[in-house]
Structure formats: structure tokens, C-alpha cells
């Protein structure tokens, strides 16, 4: 069955559903210790494969997911960005992971803004949350640029995090 694939385009990237052919590219990003140092868990190739299937499943169920981020220039997968159900809640979380070679270029902010626009305009979400560990200063800067406000310290995914929220 073909699934409608929303394409979200920004100035420098396209967001689309992951495909099986993207598994190795996603695993390449996951296998970079610097990229993944603040994200708890195992990020093996098998996990990347399961994630690609889970991203499609969540999209089918909820109308949002973590999308593949393609560079408009090179058409390579440079990360994953999108909306995701925050574990143990009814809330929607913004998440982003960008390949190290693309850090410092504003890609996470640009792609995240497009996801937030999708969530607020198309899905009519009243708010979106974002979490990160206190040490992840780059992620905190992205949240700040997007307008997220710190709400509280909390624990999600067995990790102490700073919980932020952005109203529509």
C-alpha cells in the first residue's frame, strides 16, 4: 500500500519519510559517537532498521514522525528531524539528529522550524515539547532560537533532562 508522503521543503533541505534504502545512511549517523553522545541507548544497524519501520508506523498512526533530512544540494541523508510521541505522555516532542559534518550551519533549526509549522498548521497541535540533557548546549541553542521556553527539570527515557515547551 502506498502511503501519502508529505514532503516538507526548506531552503537547504527536504524532509521525507525514511525508506529501506536509507538504513545504512541512518546507521552511519547513529554510529558517530559525537553525534549520539547525549542520546541514551543502543544505535546499532539493527536499531536503525527498526527505527525506519517504526517511523513509518508512527506516521500512519499519528500523521507525524521523524523524517529523513535530505540535503537539497547533495540529496544525501544528513539527519532525522520531526515530531514524536513523548514516551509515557500524550505530548508531542520535537527531535533532531544531524550528521556531524552539517553541525553549525543552522540545519537543525531550519528543519525543526518546518516541522513545527507542520505540527501547528497542518495537525493543529496546541503545543510541542523538546527535551535535552543540560550538557547539550547546541540543542539548547536550537530550542532557544525556535522560541521554546524552559518549564522544568524532569526524567524521560531514563535520563535527567531539561523540559521545554512551545505554544502554537
Amino acid at each position: 500500500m502506498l502511503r501519502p508522503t508529505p514532503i516538507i521543503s526548506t531552503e537547504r533541505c527536504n524532509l521525507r519519510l525514511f525508506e529501506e534504502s536509507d538504513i545504512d545512511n541512518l546507521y552511519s549517523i547513529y554510529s558517530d559517537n559525537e553525534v549520539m553522545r547525549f542520546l541514551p541507548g543502543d544505535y546499532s544497524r539493527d536499531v536503525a532498521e527498526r527505527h525506519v519501520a517504526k517511523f513509518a508506523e508512527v506516521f500512519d498512526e499519528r500523521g507525524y514522525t521523524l523524517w529523513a533530512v535530505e540535503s537539497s544540494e547533495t540529496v544525501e541523508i544528513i539527519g532525522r528531524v520531526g515530531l514524536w510521541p513523548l514516551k509515557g505522555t500524550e505530548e508531542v516532542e520535537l527531535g533532531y539528529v544531524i550528521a556531524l559534518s552539517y553541525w553549525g550551519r543552522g540545519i537543525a533549526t531550519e528543519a525543526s522550524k518546518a516541522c513545527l509549522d507542520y505540527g501547528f498548521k497542518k495537525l493543529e497541535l496546541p503545543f510541542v515539547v523538546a527535551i535535552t540533557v543540560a550538557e547539550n548546549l547546541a540543542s539548547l541553542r536550537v530550542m532557544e532560537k525556535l522560541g521554546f521556553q524552559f518549564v522544568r527539570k524532569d526524567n524521560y527515557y531514563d535520563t535527567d533532562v531539561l523540559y521545554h515547551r512551545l505554544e502554537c
Side-chain angles (χ1 to χ4, degrees):
M1 177 175 134
L2 290 176
R3 163 187 326 108
T5 304
I7 299 293
I8 301 173
S9 295
T10 70
E11 183 179 332
R12 297 176 292 165
C13 56
N14 296 307
L15 309 181
R16 62 163 175 81
L17 287 172
F18 276 95
E19 300 171 350
E20 282 187 35
S21 60
D22 299 321
I23 292 169
D24 287 333
N25 289 330
L26 182 61
Y27 173 62
S28 176
I29 293 166
Y30 282 177
S31 64
D32 187 317
N33 291 334
E34 181 66 15
V35 171
M36 303 305 287
R37 86 177 144 137
F38 295 119
L39 296 175
D42 164 36
Y43 290 96
S44 66
R45 188 185 185 289
D46 288 342
V47 168
E49 188 173 346
R50 286 195 307 272
H51 279 183
V52 167
K54 186 67 173 174
F55 297 158
E57 179 184 316
V58 168
F59 178 76
D60 288 343
E61 291 172 0
R62 298 177 181 253
Y64 61 81
T65 194
L66 293 172
W67 282 289
V69 181
E70 277 184 342
S71 165
S72 297
E73 187 177 304
T74 65
V75 196
E76 71 177 309
I77 300 297
I78 61 172
R80 65 170 168 82
V81 176
L83 303 173
W84 195 252
L86 181 61
K87 186 177 183 178
T89 75
E90 295 298 315
E91 298 173 332
V92 178
E93 170 189 7
L94 173 69
Y96 38 86
V97 173
I98 301 295
L100 184 61
S101 60
Y102 285 85
W103 283 14
R105 300 184 192 186
I107 297 290
T109 303
E110 181 179 318
S112 294
K113 183 178 181 330
C115 291
L116 291 168
D117 288 346
Y118 177 89
F120 291 141
K121 293 175 183 172
K122 183 168 179 70
L123 302 175
E124 300 180 350
L125 298 173
F127 66 91
V128 173
V129 303
I131 59 173
T132 193
V133 296
E135 300 81 15
N136 192 345
L137 300 179
S139 185
L140 288 168
R141 280 192 300 275
V142 170
M143 290 179 201
E144 182 181 314
K145 289 177 190 175
L146 294 168
F148 279 87
Q149 299 297 310
F150 172 76
V151 176
R152 65 181 182 265
K153 293 180 180 179
D154 213 321
N155 188 290
Y156 291 96
Y157 309 105
D158 297 320
T159 303
D160 291 331
V161 297
L162 303 177
Y163 174 102
H164 293 74
R165 183 174 163 136
L166 179 65
E167 304 283 333
C168 176

